[in-house]
Amino acid sequence: MTNITAIKAQGHIVPSLEARPLSDLCQDFVDGFCRLGDDRCPKAHNIYRIEDRSPIDENVAIPSNANYLSTQPRVFQPGRHAFENDGPGSLSEAGIRHDNDHVDIRRCRILPSTDEIICTRRPWMPGKNFDQPHFLPPGPLRLVDIQFRQLRYENTERIIDACYHAMQQLVVEQLDKTRLESHYSHETPRGVRYSLLHGVAFEELIFHESRGIIVRISFDCPRALRGRRIHTSNLLEDGMLVALIGLDRAAGEVNTTFLEVFLRESTDAMRSRTGNDTRASVQLSFADKDDIDSIRRITYHMYGLLQATFVLVDMPDVLLPSFVHHLKQLQNIADSPNFAFASHIAPQTSALAQLVNPPPAYAAFEDFEYNLKDLSIKSEGSRQHSFSMRPLRFDNNVAQRFQTLEALKEHTTLDDGQAAALVESLSHGLAFTQGPPGTGKTFLGVSLAQVILASQDKSDPRPILAVCTTNHALDTFLEDLLKKGVSRIARVGGGSKEEWTKQYLLRTLSKGMKRTGHEATRLRESRTQVDNLAREGVSWCEALSNDIPGWSALKDHLRSHYMSIFHHFASLEAFDGSTTDLRRARRAAGFAYEYWSMGGDLKDIDQLLEVFSTLLGNNEPIWDQESSEDYIKDRLFAEIKRNVIQAVAMTEGSQIWSLSMEERRSLLAKWMAELDRRNICDAIVETHRRHRAAMNRKSDAYSAIDARCLAQQQIIGLTTTACARYWPLFDKLTLRVVICEEAGEILESHTLCNLWPSIQHAIFIGDPLQLRPQINEMSLSLEHEDGQRYRLDESLFERLMFPSVTGAVPIHTSRLSVQRRMHPDIADISRATLYPYLVDHESTHLHCPVAGMVNRLYWLDHQQPEDRPDPRSPMAKSYSNKFEVEMIFGLISYLIRSSAYSLGDIAVLTPYNGQLFALTQRLRMTCSVWLSDKDRETLIDQGLISPDDLLTGFKTEVDIADMLRIATIDNFQGEEAKVVILSTVRSNQDHRVGFLKTPNRINVACSRARDGFYIIGNSSLMGGVGMWNTVINILRSKGKIGSSFQACCTRHTGRVTQISEPDQFLHIPECPELCLENLNCGHTCRQKNISAVVIAVRDHAGSAVVNACIDFLRYHCAVVTRYFQRVQRLLRDPKSYAITQSVEYLCHVVIIKISYVHLLVRYSHVKNGVQLFLIVVMSVVKRVHGVELQQVTLIVEAHVIQVPVRPVSSLARDPASMVVVLRLVAASVIRVFELATGSVYIRGHVQRCAVYLAIVSHALSRARQYFLVVICVLVFARSFVRQAVRNAIRVRAREKF
């Protein structure tokens, strides 16, 4: 039995193909496809191994010492650094570590090799500063080397860790079958989670038209995922990276092949083969489709040429495109490191002096001026102010600079900071602008784009590249540009969830382009090559899967061993027609053999032609204008008939047509046995390689069309990932300007992929003091003690703005200074910590106080300990605090009951996924919860929720304004809310603060709130962090910190209730005093505890609800409340109306929705709403009174025709129109009820009408049709209550009930 310590990485596999020099072969055939074909090309078209190319990958390093799989866990000992410092590859004092350890990063494979996985030596990692040891001198090449090695380690370390652990599991289980584990979820000692699937078996090889070889494997499906359940799990999700690990016990070797999930299949798909529901299958495409050695190895295993036991490793959080394009592009840059602004970003000297940063090259001419006209304020009746600026004058002419700044502030909406940043960004080729929270960074970026577009040379315009880290930020930026009149926009990449972006996607725009003749020809030829090679690949795969070999697999064998038979079949396919005929006929190559193997006879020519026609197909269009499809086929048919007549006359070789079907099967079996399966496998792999070459040519053909399309646009928007992926495409455009938003969140390696050599003007806007780029490996992070040397999560913006080298001069940076988000009381935190220059815009002073709370800013201090996680749970390495969860639940419930806020106005932030999950579980039972995509994916990956949970959390499905937002701090940057509640979570005796010790994270957490900000946490623990100590001192000086919240009546703030426990939120007493507020309708409110409604109406004085009498509506709700108490007696089927909530809560919500009508209905139209409302009323009347709907429909349509098709939001600004609409609706309802009762006197039926309308309101409210609720209640109040409530309701209520 093999010992685990003797297992090493499997070596490379030498193919069995015959070797030939490249000069003997057709170069076009080797590269993919030869137009002349086998019959006309003078050079060989057989599949050979080329002598000029070594079968062993030239990028394989030879380790100094062989690596063997260890029995020890893959963890670093305490006190040891995570990396070695003696150089890579052959520069290491101890020698080369593994076969992927190279000095030159261009030779490094992106994904780890098996030898690299089992190597126990620590990798070499270069430090970031130029004064740290490195084998390269300071300069661009050294910077690229550093960024490549750090970024590759960041993305492959977890892959290596999972595969290493899986290998150990595989070996141990093979040595001792009793230790085979039943569960599939595993975690390495370093905390990497993965799934391990056993019983892997190869099912079939598939040749895909675009991906090449795809392998279908089956595996033992875990019991919990059998049936359709696997499709609702996060196991083997499409596009995710997986590893196929094989162990050859006899040879003592292990191998690893990386693949991507193409299609997962449930146990139902395998039932026909296995007869049970225990095995599932998955189709996998190769992650590196150019890794021929791995493809050959899997193909050999597929057909039994190699033996091994396999397991499948699923890494659910690893998506290959998220990093592979950046790494490949860094390797390309290393070939010629001449990226833009290299002298500033990677100076070749250690001098610390600041380099000159001149204006962009396109603006360096004396007569060049930036056109600022598009920024001027447009007012009715006056012309737009026209002015400009010259960038060259600012360095030496202070007066000119001052005049331009004053003009910008006078004629535009830019504030002081934005105006200065605009001028400085236009005056420097490499420009940086720091924007604190809420200072209008996106607005500045849009303004810069407007100016640059208006100032371009009309004879040579170039599109501007707009780059963001997230799809959400990119969509916001592009939408703002569209609002400013920039119409020619292209969005590259398909990650947007916004419907409006579809028409601006590159693929959509490119399809609408009229192609030139050259483009059409090139695209047609590349498609033909890909299709033909895909068919050839399918034929080779079938040769090993079927009992009857295909023509592609058999023809070379017949040519070599049965020449006469080969010539006989080939003679039937000899065509002397035009090039078009030959290309068409090749689609049916082997039709004579196929016909013979099916038992065909040459005497039945019609049947032979039918086989030929079937194989020929009619899918490919004819591009030759001289011929039609039918005409070409007729010519080919005539050729075949001529060939058949000649073949029948032949004596040699024609005897095979006289064989019986049984004899033919025997002969086919003989030929099949004579075939070398290894040669067939090699032929499949070589066909895959040629197919890849053809696919590259097809991609180049499409890229040429895309490049022409993009060159006609004004703005090209994309994410940083798309920049690296489409680098060659954008390199063709010779772009001049790139505007990079959220620059402080972008890894420096990603930023380098945005700087094409043609870039003359790079504008970076962001804030290095907010969240840094997110990384997984803390050993490379600034937050880790060892990571200070490497600083992978330090953006280029932060490195140049805050250089870590002593004496280095920071690059000049503009900064925005006027914030428009936070109330000044909340902004004081930012001013006291990181932004002393921050100024409050005047609008921030008008933010409403938090309804029902004495303080808008408060820290609830407590000593309740954090929860100790169960070591066996998925949250073992995260934290939660039950006390804070309950306090947050109580505070949110209280704020919602105050009726001043909707769920969408409130956001809950926490640094930990454990607390995120606890909050979600607690709050989702009582309200709709929205999680960001990243937070949701994290909880799914950790097994805390299933993919079906919280489906309503997607912004595209449910309006986020109606949902409570819960998020981790790291996933809330760029967002804001009226009220923010921060849960710090940590409370322990070990003085461990955790994630919230980082100033960047504290900054983001404390700058998201507009009106109210509440912190719940242990201040004595948090005070141990410098920045938190500053925050606590500020709050303490203002009396904003304590052990209890102060709740109050919004109208009478002197009546305060102390709340220090969650249960106390349920026992807040009502204010006993009368409101006495002077209402807009002229009445004085004499109700108690209604101040929230009064304030809501007072604050929205511009809406139509001002005309409604709040006193009257309050009285109406009281009447409806009494009716609802007996509604069960009036309705025949009460369940159909889904009355599930309390009457008091319903009435309260209805009134508040009236006061917010202009906010809730901005995207709805009155006509549709009225029609839907009346249809609901009609159905109620039909149900209770049996009135024919046809009669009612005529009445409704007569009134609906008169309703204007206008947005309800416009009616909110036009009370007269609202009154007209309400009268029309009221008339319809009254007429319907007249018809229902057969009487024009409806006063006696007002009671029942009130109940019906309230029920409809409730049903519509549950359906989130709030504007219908408003119309429903107003109709009742203005048309019915005014007529009957004061008289009939009081009397008849007693009589009826």
Side-chain angles (χ1 to χ4, degrees):
M1 187 171 291
T2 305
N3 192 323
I4 186 173
T5 58
I7 294 175
K8 62 181 181 179
Q10 189 178 52
H12 288 261
I13 300 174
V14 179
S16 61
L17 293 175
E18 179 185 352
R20 287 283 189 91
L22 182 60
S23 57
D24 291 350
L25 305 178
C26 173
Q27 181 67 58
D28 290 338
F29 179 82
V30 171
D31 290 340
F33 187 81
C34 178
R35 299 181 181 182
L36 298 177
D38 296 349
D39 47 356
R40 292 193 174 188
C41 184
K43 294 193 174 184
H45 278 197
N46 300 73
I47 298 178
Y48 297 105
R49 175 168 59 85
I50 303 172
E51 287 182 346
D52 301 354
R53 298 179 181 177
S54 171
I56 304 296
D57 190 347
E58 63 179 4
N59 289 334
V60 174
I62 307 300
S64 300
N65 299 295
N67 294 306
Y68 293 94
L69 184 63
S70 172
T71 58
Q72 300 299 317
R74 190 176 178 275
V75 293
F76 298 120
Q77 297 178 3
R80 296 184 62 191
H81 294 290
F83 309 106
E84 293 182 357
N85 56 10
D86 60 347
S90 59
L91 299 179
S92 172
E93 295 178 0
I96 299 175
R97 297 168 179 81
H98 47 75
D99 63 1
N100 199 27
D101 185 21
H102 298 283
V103 175
D104 188 350
I105 62 172
R106 293 171 295 180
R107 298 182 61 192
C108 294
R109 283 162 288 174
I110 303 300
L111 291 171
S113 66
T114 304
D115 196 48
E116 183 178 3
I117 292 172
I118 66 176
C119 177
T120 56
R121 283 183 59 187
R122 294 165 294 160
W124 176 74
M125 190 62 58
K128 200 168 191 179
N129 289 347
F130 63 79
D131 58 350
Q132 294 173 347
H134 199 286
F135 65 92
L136 291 171
L141 185 57
R142 173 171 170 170
L143 176 65
V144 173
D145 181 272
I146 294 170
Q147 294 299 324
F148 175 87
R149 295 184 191 278
Q150 292 188 2
L151 184 64
R152 183 178 182 275
Y153 180 84
E154 153 72 9
N155 289 283
T156 61
E157 172 59 18
R158 50 184 168 165
I159 299 174
I160 293 174
D161 199 42
C163 291
Y164 182 89
H165 191 262
M167 287 179 184
Q168 289 182 323
Q169 298 293 316
L170 172 60
V171 173
V172 169
E173 291 165 1
Q174 287 299 304
L175 295 178
D176 185 359
K177 296 292 186 180
T178 62
R179 300 184 60 178
L180 184 64
E181 299 186 19
S182 58
H183 61 278
Y184 66 95
S185 182
H186 293 263
E187 182 175 350
T188 72
R190 301 187 65 190
V192 177
R193 291 187 174 90
Y194 69 94
S195 298
L196 187 63
L197 303 173
H198 297 272
V200 171
F202 294 97
E203 297 295 334
E204 63 178 325
L205 215 59
I206 304 169
F207 205 97
H208 192 264
E209 58 184 4
S210 61
R211 294 175 179 257
I213 294 178
I214 287 179
V215 58
R216 181 171 182 252
I217 66 170
S218 62
F219 55 90
D220 294 332
C221 185
R223 185 179 300 275
L225 300 178
R226 292 174 184 173
R228 304 295 298 175
R229 292 191 294 270
I230 194 172
H231 293 301
T232 60
S233 71
N234 65 332
L235 183 71
L236 301 175
E237 292 184 301
D238 290 350
M240 291 300 171
L241 186 72
V242 298
L244 201 58
I245 299 177
L247 173 65
D248 184 351
R249 292 179 56 188
E253 293 180 338
V254 66
N255 63 76
T256 308
T257 305
F258 292 102
L259 306 103
E260 292 179 290
V261 177
F262 179 68
L263 178 67
R264 64 179 173 185
E265 301 169 332
S266 67
T267 53
D268 297 338
M270 289 294 296
R271 186 178 301 159
S272 60
R273 298 194 181 196
T274 62
N276 55 52
D277 293 330
T278 62
R279 294 183 63 79
S281 59
V282 61
Q283 295 182 23
L284 305 170
S285 64
F286 289 90
D288 184 357
K289 296 173 178 57
D290 297 321
D291 184 2
I292 300 302
D293 185 73
S294 294
I295 299 173
R296 180 179 292 111
R297 181 174 56 248
I298 292 299
T299 306
Y300 281 12
H301 280 290
M302 177 81 190
Y303 296 109
L305 300 177
L306 292 177
Q307 299 297 324
T309 301
F310 282 90
V311 291
L312 185 64
V313 180
D314 177 37
M315 294 161 282
D317 56 344
V318 180
L319 193 62
L320 189 63
S322 65
F323 64 89
V324 68
H325 298 298
H326 290 104
L327 290 171
K328 287 183 177 179
Q329 189 52 47
L330 288 173
Q331 289 178 319
N332 294 335
I333 295 176
D335 274 332
S336 55
N338 60 341
F339 51 84
F341 306 104
S343 60
H344 290 78
I345 296 173
Q348 297 182 1
T349 174
S350 58
L352 301 179
Q354 185 174 13
L355 296 174
V356 177
N357 191 1
Y362 69 83
F365 304 101
E366 282 294 331
D367 59 345
F368 180 85
E369 292 184 345
Y370 283 111
N371 187 351
L372 306 178
K373 179 180 179 181
D374 288 347
L375 301 184
S376 59
I377 301 173
K378 300 178 183 179
S379 57
E380 297 182 4
S382 62
R383 298 183 61 184
Q384 199 171 5
H385 183 74
S386 179
F387 61 112
S388 61
M389 60 166 273
R390 292 186 178 181
L392 290 177
R393 298 184 178 182
F394 289 103
D395 290 335
N396 302 317
N397 194 328
V398 177
Q400 181 68 25
R401 176 189 180 91
F402 177 78
Q403 292 176 4
T404 303
L405 290 175
E406 290 299 312
L408 284 169
K409 288 185 284 186
E410 178 182 356
H411 300 292
T412 71
T413 57
L414 297 172
D415 58 42
D416 293 353
Q418 291 170 339
L422 180 96
V423 169
E424 292 175 358
S425 296
L426 294 175
S427 300
H428 299 291
L430 182 61
F432 291 89
T433 298
Q434 180 193 12
T439 52
K441 294 184 284 294
T442 300
F443 181 76
L444 173 65
V446 171
S447 300
L448 285 166
Q450 287 182 274
V451 172
I452 296 172
L453 286 174
S455 308
Q456 288 199 53
D457 184 359
K458 304 301 181 184
S459 63
D460 186 24
R462 307 282 176 87
I464 296 175
L465 202 66
V467 182
C468 298
T469 55
T470 63
N471 286 292
H472 173 66
L474 179 61
D475 291 340
T476 301
F477 188 84
L478 296 180
E479 187 175 19
D480 289 345
L481 282 169
L482 286 170
K483 293 177 181 177
K484 295 293 184 180
V486 180
S487 58
R488 287 186 285 121
I489 289 177
R491 193 190 191 285
V492 180
S496 175
K497 294 182 179 180
E498 300 292 339
E499 189 69 22
W500 63 266
T501 62
K502 290 183 178 179
Q503 61 179 312
Y504 298 102
L505 292 177
L506 172 60
R507 187 53 58 206
T508 303
L509 298 173
S510 183
K511 285 182 178 179
M513 294 279 293
K514 184 177 180 180
R515 293 165 185 168
T516 65
H518 174 71
E519 290 171 345
T521 300
R522 186 181 178 189
L523 191 59
R524 178 180 67 248
E525 291 179 350
S526 63
R527 284 174 175 172
T528 301
Q529 293 175 9
V530 170
D531 292 345
N532 289 337
L533 284 168
R535 283 193 298 274
E536 183 177 337
V538 170
S539 178
W540 280 111
C541 290
E542 290 177 349
L544 290 174
S545 302
N546 301 336
D547 296 333
I548 300 176
W551 177 246
S552 297
L554 193 61
K555 65 179 181 180
D556 289 339
H557 181 71
L558 294 179
R559 183 190 287 118
S560 301
H561 300 87
Y562 304 93
M563 183 64 72
S564 61
I565 296 178
F566 170 79
H567 281 305
H568 185 78
F569 285 134
S571 65
L572 296 175
E573 301 182 10
F575 297 101
D576 297 327
S578 64
T579 302
T580 302
D581 291 357
L582 291 174
R583 290 180 182 176
R584 199 75 176 116
R586 287 178 197 159
R587 295 176 59 88
F591 73 90
Y593 165 76
E594 294 290 340
Y595 179 59
W596 175 84
S597 63
M598 294 165 51
D601 191 341
L602 280 182
K603 297 179 182 179
D604 190 350
I605 296 181
D606 292 339
Q607 188 69 25
L608 175 64
L609 293 177
E610 183 176 343
V611 172
F612 172 77
S613 181
T614 301
L615 294 177
L616 190 68
N618 294 315
N619 298 324
E620 183 180 351
I622 297 299
W623 301 96
D624 191 338
Q625 300 299 325
E626 300 177 357
S627 304
S628 66
E629 175 74 25
D630 293 336
Y631 185 49
I632 291 176
K633 187 176 290 187
D634 290 342
R635 291 203 303 259
L636 295 176
F637 281 1
E639 290 276 348
I640 293 173
K641 291 178 180 178
R642 178 178 58 81
N643 293 339
V644 169
I645 294 174
Q646 294 177 355
V648 170
M650 294 173 58
T651 58
E652 184 180 5
S654 61
Q655 297 89 339
I656 61 173
W657 293 97
S658 61
L659 297 177
S660 66
M661 191 62 202
E662 189 64 29
E663 292 173 326
R664 296 186 191 190
R665 290 197 185 100
S666 299
L667 187 57
L668 286 170
K670 178 176 179 295
W671 290 343
M672 189 69 181
E674 293 172 350
L675 289 175
D676 186 343
R677 299 176 73 86
R678 185 178 293 266
N679 281 339
I680 295 178
C681 289
D682 289 335
I684 293 174
V685 175
E686 181 62 18
T687 303
H688 170 88
R689 188 197 62 76
R690 294 166 56 216
H691 179 266
R692 288 294 302 162
M695 281 296 301
N696 291 335
R697 286 192 290 275
K698 180 179 177 181
S699 177
D700 291 342
Y702 275 111
S703 293
I705 301 173
D706 292 342
R708 187 165 63 87
C709 175
L710 291 175
Q712 301 175 10
Q713 308 306 318
Q714 294 173 295
I715 299 289
I716 301 174
L718 70 169
T719 61
T720 54
T721 301
C723 277
R725 181 174 184 179
Y726 298 100
W727 173 284
L729 171 62
F730 294 116
D731 195 36
K732 300 175 184 177
L733 301 177
T734 59
L735 300 169
R736 289 194 289 248
V737 181
V738 58
I739 299 177
C740 188
E741 276 231 322
E742 303 172 316
E745 296 183 66
I746 303 177
L747 290 168
E748 183 169 354
S749 54
H750 292 192
T751 303
L752 293 179
C753 296
N754 304 339
L755 299 176
W756 286 264
S758 61
I759 294 294
Q760 302 174 11
H761 198 180
I763 301 172
F764 295 93
I765 305 173
D767 186 7
L769 297 181
Q770 296 187 56
L771 289 181
R772 292 190 175 103
Q774 296 185 27
I775 64 175
N776 298 308
E777 295 300 322
M778 296 306 296
S779 57
L780 298 176
S781 172
L782 278 162
E783 299 182 20
H784 192 274
E785 182 179 356
D786 291 340
Q788 297 288 332
R789 173 186 175 89
Y790 309 105
R791 307 197 309 280
L792 174 62
D793 55 348
E794 179 185 59
S795 64
L796 175 67
F797 197 159
E798 183 176 4
R799 179 169 71 85
L800 297 182
M801 184 176 177
F802 305 110
S804 58
V805 179
T806 304
V809 180
I811 195 168
H812 176 75
T813 304
S814 308
R815 64 187 186 191
L816 308 180
S817 56
V818 181
Q819 71 90 15
R820 292 169 168 81
R821 175 186 296 163
M822 300 169 282
H823 186 274
D825 290 349
I826 303 173
D828 285 342
I829 295 178
S830 298
R831 268 187 291 272
T833 51
L834 299 174
Y835 311 104
Y837 54 85
L838 196 62
V839 178
D840 300 317
H841 191 267
E842 58 184 13
S843 63
T844 61
H845 294 268
L846 303 178
H847 288 188
C848 301
V850 178
M853 300 293 287
V854 173
N855 302 298
R856 69 167 72 245
L857 174 65
Y858 196 80
W859 184 309
L860 178 68
D861 189 18
H862 71 84
Q863 302 295 322
Q864 299 292 331
E866 64 197 39
D867 302 332
R868 295 191 176 277
D870 184 351
R872 297 168 297 178
S873 72
M875 286 287 96
K877 296 185 178 181
S878 191
Y879 297 90
S880 61
N881 192 306
K882 185 176 181 180
F883 172 79
E884 294 186 9
V885 170
E886 294 300 324
M887 286 299 296
I888 290 172
F889 175 78
L891 178 57
I892 291 175
S893 301
Y894 172 69
L895 292 175
I896 295 299
R897 287 200 305 271
S898 72
S899 305
Y901 301 103
S902 65
L903 290 173
D905 295 330
I906 304 172
V908 182
L909 304 183
T910 178
Y912 291 100
N913 291 322
Q915 187 77 339
L916 177 73
F917 173 67
L919 287 165
T920 302
Q921 292 297 96
R922 183 68 177 93
L923 292 165
R924 66 186 291 194
M925 305 305 295
T926 56
C927 61
S928 299
V929 172
W930 181 85
L931 295 177
S932 70
D933 289 342
K934 288 185 178 180
D935 284 333
R936 183 172 179 271
E937 290 171 3
T938 299
L939 295 183
I940 291 175
D941 291 342
Q942 294 177 346
L944 296 173
I945 63 175
S946 69
D948 288 340
D949 288 340
L950 303 176
L951 286 180
T952 56
F954 291 111
K955 293 182 181 180
T956 54
E957 296 179 10
V958 175
D959 188 359
I960 192 175
D962 300 325
M963 307 184 73
L964 175 68
R965 288 177 288 175
I966 308 176
T968 54
I969 298 172
D970 289 1
N971 291 326
F972 204 71
Q973 179 156 324
E975 303 286 344
E976 63 179 47
K978 285 186 177 180
V979 178
V980 172
I981 306 171
L982 172 63
S983 172
T984 63
V985 182
R986 302 305 297 272
S987 180
N988 54 69
Q989 301 296 326
D990 302 326
H991 305 289
R992 295 181 178 178
V993 176
F995 288 149
L996 280 181
K997 65 183 179 183
T998 308
N1000 302 66
R1001 195 169 280 118
I1002 300 172
N1003 181 24
V1004 172
C1006 296
S1007 58
R1008 304 299 101 193
R1010 291 177 54 83
D1011 299 345
F1013 180 42
Y1014 300 100
I1015 306 172
I1016 304 177
N1018 187 331
S1019 64
S1020 60
L1021 175 64
M1022 294 295 162
V1025 177
M1027 186 168 174
W1028 275 127
N1029 187 54
T1030 303
V1031 173
I1032 292 169
N1033 289 335
I1034 294 172
L1035 297 178
R1036 185 169 286 120
S1037 65
K1038 296 182 177 182
K1040 306 295 186 182
I1041 186 171
S1043 59
S1044 61
F1045 285 124
Q1046 289 85 46
C1048 67
C1049 173
T1050 309
R1051 176 70 174 150
H1052 311 103
T1053 56
R1055 307 188 67 88
V1056 178
T1057 302
Q1058 301 291 331
I1059 302 175
S1060 59
E1061 297 292 335
D1063 293 342
Q1064 293 176 351
F1065 280 107
L1066 301 175
H1067 306 291
I1068 299 176
E1070 291 190 2
C1071 180
E1073 300 183 28
L1074 298 179
C1075 178
L1076 301 180
E1077 173 77 5
N1078 293 324
L1079 304 177
N1080 293 311
C1081 58
H1083 294 82
T1084 298
C1085 179
R1086 306 190 62 81
Q1087 301 295 323
K1088 300 177 183 178
N1089 199 28
I1090 196 175
S1091 53
V1093 177
V1094 174
I1095 290 178
V1097 176
R1098 183 186 63 200
D1099 290 341
H1100 302 94
S1103 67
V1105 77
V1106 172
N1107 298 308
C1109 177
I1110 300 300
D1111 243 352
F1112 208 22
L1113 289 176
R1114 181 68 177 180
Y1115 173 73
H1116 139 68
C1117 282
V1119 174
V1120 176
T1121 299
R1122 293 198 298 270
Y1123 287 155
F1124 256 116
Q1125 293 172 353
R1126 295 173 176 81
V1127 70
Q1128 297 284 349
R1129 302 179 184 178
L1130 295 178
L1131 301 176
R1132 299 178 182 177
D1133 186 8
K1135 294 182 180 180
S1136 63
Y1137 299 103
I1139 302 174
T1140 59
Q1141 298 187 8
S1142 68
V1143 177
E1144 294 289 347
Y1145 179 75
L1146 166 66
C1147 297
H1148 200 54
V1149 169
V1150 167
I1151 284 190
I1152 299 308
K1153 293 308 177 186
I1154 294 173
S1155 65
Y1156 280 90
V1157 60
H1158 68 294
L1159 294 177
L1160 298 172
V1161 300
R1162 63 178 60 173
Y1163 298 115
S1164 303
H1165 280 76
V1166 177
K1167 191 159 191 169
N1168 296 336
V1170 169
Q1171 193 164 15
L1172 179 58
F1173 166 71
L1174 292 178
I1175 290 173
V1176 174
V1177 173
M1178 288 158 46
S1179 64
V1180 173
V1181 174
K1182 171 68 170 63
R1183 182 175 185 81
V1184 178
H1185 296 286
V1187 180
E1188 290 298 327
L1189 290 181
Q1190 184 175 4
Q1191 296 177 282
V1192 180
T1193 302
L1194 297 176
I1195 300 172
V1196 171
E1197 290 179 351
H1199 289 90
V1200 170
I1201 290 175
Q1202 305 175 56
V1203 177
V1205 181
R1206 295 178 57 187
V1208 179
S1209 56
S1210 66
L1211 292 182
R1213 296 188 294 270
D1214 186 0
S1217 298
M1218 176 66 85
V1219 171
V1220 172
V1221 172
L1222 293 177
R1223 286 177 178 173
L1224 290 171
V1225 176
S1228 297
V1229 176
I1230 292 172
R1231 186 69 185 93
V1232 168
F1233 278 100
E1234 287 177 356
L1235 180 63
T1237 59
S1239 172
V1240 296
Y1241 300 100
I1242 64 170
R1243 298 169 67 93
H1245 300 277
V1246 172
Q1247 303 170 43
R1248 187 166 297 178
C1249 294
V1251 174
Y1252 295 157
L1253 290 173
I1255 292 171
V1256 172
S1257 298
H1258 177 66
L1260 294 173
S1261 177
R1262 289 181 58 82
R1264 303 188 188 282
Q1265 301 292 336
Y1266 295 118
F1267 74 106
L1268 299 182
V1269 175
V1270 173
I1271 293 177
C1272 177
V1273 176
L1274 288 181
V1275 166
F1276 174 74
R1278 299 297 296 271
S1279 302
F1280 290 179
V1281 178
R1282 189 184 294 272
Q1283 299 176 35
V1285 164
R1286 294 180 180 176
N1287 300 313
I1289 286 186
R1290 295 178 181 175
V1291 176
R1292 289 187 174 273
R1294 301 190 187 97
E1295 296 175 352
K1296 187 72 175 179
F1297 302 117

